[in-house]
Structure formats: structure tokens, C-alpha cells
Amino acid sequence: MNLIIILIVGGILGWLASIVMRTDAQQGIFLNIVVGIIGALVAGFLVTPLIGGAPITSGAFDIRSLFASFIGAVILLGAINLFRRGRVR
């Protein structure tokens, strides 16, 4: 059951990050889920030690972990845009 919740929350966070980074038209629901989950993993290594809390991949679903996972997804999309286009939108 926890895996289903992580997929749903990861999809929503990936979708919100793609709207912020203006890549929503290029991505489908599957890529939004992937970006959200990988963004949560990135947040677990980079963002969570700075603001505290735990990433959503560990089962924590509080505001701090959702914000950290969202920031991780935005960082991931920014890095992808930097390598694909040579600039961050």
C-alpha cells in the first residue's frame, strides 16, 4: 500500500515540478511519476539534510518531506534541461 501512495504522491509532485519548470507539455503521466520519485531520492540526499525531515520514499508524508521532494524534482528537471538545452528555463 505504501508503494501505491509513493507513486501517486510522486506523480503529483512530478507534475507540479513540470508545471513550474514549463516542461509539462513534453511529459506524460509516466514521466511525471518518474521525475517525482527520482526527485524524492535527490531530495533525500541534497535537500533533506538542509531542512530536516525525511524523504517521501521512506514513508514520511509531512509538509517538510513533500516540500523537499518537490524541490528535488525541480532540481532534477533543471539539471535535465541544462544538459538537454544548455540552459535552465
Side-chain angles (χ1 to χ4, degrees):
M1 187 67 177
N2 198 16
L3 178 65
I4 295 171
I5 294 173
I6 289 174
L7 290 175
I8 292 170
V9 172
I12 292 170
L13 291 174
W15 173 65
L16 291 174
S18 68
I19 289 174
V20 168
M21 296 299 290
R22 297 186 200 132
T23 60
D24 191 40
Q26 303 164 0
Q27 297 179 185
I29 185 70
F30 179 72
L31 197 54
N32 282 336
I33 292 171
V34 170
V35 165
I37 292 173
I38 294 176
L41 292 173
V42 168
F45 292 115
L46 298 178
V47 181
T48 303
L50 297 175
I51 66 171
I56 64 168
T57 54
S58 68
F61 291 106
D62 58 350
I63 295 296
R64 197 180 323 172
S65 13
L66 293 174
F67 180 72
S69 298
F70 173 74
I71 295 299
V74 169
I75 289 171
L76 177 67
L77 284 175
I80 289 171
N81 284 339
L82 184 66
F83 287 119
R84 280 179 47 196
R85 295 189 181 103
R87 63 183 167 92
V88 178
R89 284 186 158 184

